[in-house]
């Protein structure tokens, strides 16, 4: 099918994008054929009249855990232990797969046309990716990691990650994960806010350097990039020294860390969405302990300072939501752009560029998607208002186009309690 998107205002995803009027986007099947003047002969195209609305590349979410809903954790409930118990029940696992499919579709309906999963249930991420690619379900493009690799007492150990007891076991798990042809490997190198055992010590190093090195070498040998959960300066240093390609989250960097980023051609994937509730919510709402809130603020500031320092030093910074954490839903990627703008002092234009073209480059698919250019995939979102003026324009998506398929007026059911609490920080 050949479409001509007319009467739209184009935001092309470039770093210095400006609204373009009087242009028409031509597509055929899943590809952009060209951007032409409005007086071009369009007789062979079906016209899609955008009626003065804004059309831009679909958002790309680089940090997603499909099984999680984002619902707040109930007071006194250990979410990690709950997930471990559920993961042992085969009947529950069937339900979890259906839930993952539902949430992948929700990402799409909210304007996210590509997701990168970084720790999921069993091999469901690749199964869902394959199902979408085969046209058996509607969903975003999926870059899948499946199960991650952790260590005893490590982050997500036994729930969304294998437990490696040696460097050799870490290598074996890389090979096991690779059997399902994932797009990347995920390591859990440090703990997180909820793993911390002392005030002021979130992101404790859990995975020994030799495990990281062995896993990265094997992944790279297999042609796979490595993403790593890291929330402390020591963890960032160990990750970069031993071959990790993307630092997920991040921490306060020093000159050594910044040099390592450059030497390794590594990137940071900033995730402000999960840290904000722990750091800034009233504890009567977040149900965080005083220690968790204190540590949450360290992580929040660490991610912000890492992003700022990376940007100042021309080190690529991408965006992901860490969807599945408390108060982080599958439909709120727009908030991550807003937080990036608000807390990292970037323009709305740079935030939108980061969530589209830059994220595509970091994910290794910059030649496929991320911008409105001839030859790229027809991945678009349409909004009534201009996100360059106000990023909350992305909150209400009027149309999603995924690999050429048009979804008009996509619908997402939102949690009013989550929306109410998060809106306090706009």
């Amino acid at each position: 099918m050949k479409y001509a998107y007319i009467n739209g205002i184009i935001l092309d995803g470039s770093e210095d994008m400006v609204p373009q009027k009087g242009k028409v986007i031509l597509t055929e099947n899943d590809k952009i054929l060209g951007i032409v003047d409005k007086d071009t002969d369009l007789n062979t195209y079906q016209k899609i009249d955008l009626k003065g609305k804004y059309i831009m590349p679909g958002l790309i979410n680089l940090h997603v855990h499909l099984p999680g809903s984002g619902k707040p954790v109930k007071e006194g409930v250990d979410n990690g232990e709950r997930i471990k118990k559920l993961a042992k029940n085969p009947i529950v696992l069937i339900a979890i797969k259906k839930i993952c499919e539902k949430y992948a579709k929700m990402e799409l309906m909210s304007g996210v046309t590509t997701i990168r999963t970084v720790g999921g249930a069993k091999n469901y991420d690749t199964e869902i990716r394959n199902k979408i690619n085969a046209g058996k379900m509607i969903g975003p493009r999926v870059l899948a990691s499946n199960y991650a690799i952790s260590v005893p007492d490590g982050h997500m150990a036994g729930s969304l990650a294998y437990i490696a007891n040696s460097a050799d076991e870490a290598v074996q798990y890389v090979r096991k994960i690779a059997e399902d042809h994932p797009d990347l490997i995920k390591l859990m190198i440090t703990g997180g806010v909820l793993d911390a055992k002392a005030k002021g010590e979130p992101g404790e190093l859990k995975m020994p350097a030799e495990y990281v090195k062995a896993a990265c070498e094997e992944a790279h040998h297999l042609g796979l990039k490595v993403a790593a959960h890291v929330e402390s300066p020591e963890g960032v240093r160990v990750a970069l020294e031993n071959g990790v390609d993307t630092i997920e989250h991040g921490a306060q960097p020093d000159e050594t860390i910044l040099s390592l980023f450059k030497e390794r051609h590594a990137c940071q994937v900033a995730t402000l969405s999960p840290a904000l509730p722990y750091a800034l919510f009233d504890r009567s709402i977040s149900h965080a302990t005083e220690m968790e809130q204190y540590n949450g603020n360290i992580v929040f500031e660490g991610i912000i300072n890492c992003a700022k320092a990376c940007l100042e030093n021309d080190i690529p910074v991408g965006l992901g939501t860490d969807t599945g954490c408390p108060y982080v839903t599958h439909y709120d990627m727009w908030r991550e752009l807003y937080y990036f703008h608000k807390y990292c002092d970037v323009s709305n234009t740079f935030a939108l560029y980061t969530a589209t073209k830059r994220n595509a480059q970091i994910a290794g698919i910059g030649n496929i998607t991320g911008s409105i250019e001839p030859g790229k995939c027809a991945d678009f979102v349409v909004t009534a208002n201009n996100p360059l003026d106000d990023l909350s324009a992305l909150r209400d998506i009027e149309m999603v186009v995924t690999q050429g398929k048009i979804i008009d007026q996509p619908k997402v059911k939102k949690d009013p309690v989550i929306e109410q609490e998060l809106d306090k920080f706009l």
Side-chain angles (χ1 to χ4, degrees):
M1 181 67 73
K2 295 169 71 176
Y3 292 114
Y5 294 84
I6 64 171
N7 298 325
I9 303 172
I10 300 171
L11 306 176
D12 64 11
S14 60
E15 186 173 353
D16 56 354
M17 74 181 101
V18 293
Q20 300 177 52
K21 297 181 179 180
K23 298 288 185 180
V24 176
I25 303 170
L26 303 179
T27 70
E28 183 171 11
N29 299 324
D30 65 338
K31 289 290 188 296
I32 301 170
L33 294 182
I35 296 100
V36 299
D37 290 331
K38 62 181 179 180
D39 57 359
T40 301
D41 182 1
L42 304 175
N43 282 336
T44 60
Y45 292 86
Q46 180 177 333
K47 296 176 185 176
I48 307 296
D49 190 348
L50 299 178
K51 300 177 180 177
K53 295 172 184 175
Y54 292 81
I55 184 167
M56 66 213 76
L59 302 181
I60 298 172
N61 189 344
L62 290 184
H63 196 111
V64 173
H65 301 284
L66 280 177
S69 67
K71 289 187 180 297
V73 176
K74 293 181 180 178
E75 191 170 8
V77 174
D78 186 328
N79 211 34
E81 287 302 316
R82 185 179 68 85
I83 293 171
K84 285 180 188 178
K85 289 177 182 177
L86 290 173
K88 293 176 181 176
N89 187 322
I91 296 174
V92 171
L93 282 172
I94 294 171
I96 289 174
K97 186 175 180 181
K98 292 294 184 185
I99 287 169
C100 289
E101 291 178 354
K102 169 187 169 184
Y103 289 149
K105 184 177 180 180
M106 185 181 288
E107 291 270 352
L108 178 65
M109 295 301 164
S110 73
V112 176
T113 54
T114 298
I115 63 172
R116 175 174 171 262
T117 68
V118 281
K122 298 176 74 65
N123 64 344
Y124 294 167
D125 295 348
T126 50
E127 288 190 3
I128 291 169
R129 176 200 65 191
N130 297 344
K131 195 171 179 180
I132 292 168
N133 290 347
K136 295 179 179 178
M137 68 170 280
I138 188 77
R141 176 183 292 98
V142 178
L143 302 176
S145 70
N146 288 340
Y147 236 37
I149 301 172
S150 190
V151 292
D153 195 35
H155 195 61
M156 293 294 182
S159 57
L160 300 180
Y162 293 113
I163 302 171
N165 292 282
S166 67
D168 285 343
E169 277 195 15
V171 169
Q172 292 304 315
Y173 282 130
V174 170
R175 292 172 181 165
K176 180 179 177 65
I177 295 165
E179 290 174 2
D180 289 304
H181 306 290
D183 300 286
L184 68 153
I185 297 293
K186 174 70 181 296
L187 303 181
M188 302 294 191
I189 292 179
T190 74
V193 173
L194 296 181
D195 302 317
K197 295 180 174 62
K199 188 175 181 178
E201 296 180 4
E204 179 185 2
L205 183 65
K206 300 282 189 178
M207 183 175 285
E210 59 268 26
Y211 292 26
V212 179
K213 181 177 175 62
C216 287
E217 287 181 349
E218 184 62 21
H220 292 157
H221 173 70
L222 296 170
L224 297 168
K225 297 284 190 180
V226 179
H229 167 97
V230 187
E231 292 187 346
S232 67
E234 183 185 16
V236 174
R237 180 183 57 77
V238 167
L240 294 174
E241 284 178 342
N242 292 283
V244 164
D245 299 291
T246 61
I247 298 297
E248 310 292 313
H249 316 303
Q252 178 70 52
D254 56 19
E255 289 304 317
T256 299
I257 286 172
L258 293 172
S259 295
L260 285 168
F261 264 114
K262 291 180 180 180
E263 288 171 19
R264 309 298 186 189
H265 302 289
C267 311
Q268 180 202 10
V269 175
T271 56
L272 296 168
S273 294
L276 184 143
Y278 282 110
L280 303 184
F281 274 24
D282 187 285
R283 288 194 287 116
S284 66
I285 301 297
S286 67
H287 301 308
T289 65
E290 192 270 338
M291 182 184 82
E292 287 167 352
Q293 185 174 56
Y294 185 90
N295 287 340
N297 192 63
I298 290 175
V299 170
F300 187 54
E301 293 297 331
I303 294 170
I304 291 169
N305 292 336
C306 188
K308 286 182 174 180
C310 284
L311 292 173
E312 288 170 5
N313 286 273
D314 296 320
I315 297 163
V317 175
L319 295 178
T321 57
D322 206 358
T323 299
C325 290
Y327 291 96
V328 189
T329 69
H330 287 279
Y331 51 76
D332 267 349
M333 177 64 184
W334 73 269
R335 292 187 190 273
E336 188 66 29
L337 280 71
Y338 186 89
Y339 300 151
F340 190 47
H341 157 69
K342 181 177 181 178
Y343 297 105
C344 297
D345 302 323
V346 304
S347 67
N348 288 345
T349 302
F350 191 84
L352 184 59
Y353 153 72
T354 301
T356 54
K357 189 172 185 177
R358 179 58 111 182
N359 269 2
Q361 292 167 342
I362 288 171
I365 54 173
N367 62 326
I368 297 171
T369 191
S371 58
I372 298 180
E373 299 177 72
K376 295 281 185 78
C377 199
D379 295 330
F380 312 135
V381 295
V382 175
T383 61
N385 298 312
N386 184 1
L388 302 189
D389 293 334
D390 183 351
L391 289 165
S392 67
L394 294 163
R395 182 177 202 153
D396 299 303
I397 301 297
E398 305 256 331
M399 178 186 292
V400 175
V401 181
T402 175
Q403 299 182 53
K405 303 179 189 72
I406 298 172
I407 303 165
D408 196 24
Q409 299 298 322
K411 297 290 187 289
V412 173
K413 185 178 180 181
K414 299 182 179 182
D415 186 312
V417 173
I418 292 175
E419 295 295 283
Q420 175 183 314
E421 294 303 325
L422 292 176
D423 282 353
K424 294 175 183 178
F425 297 90
L426 298 179

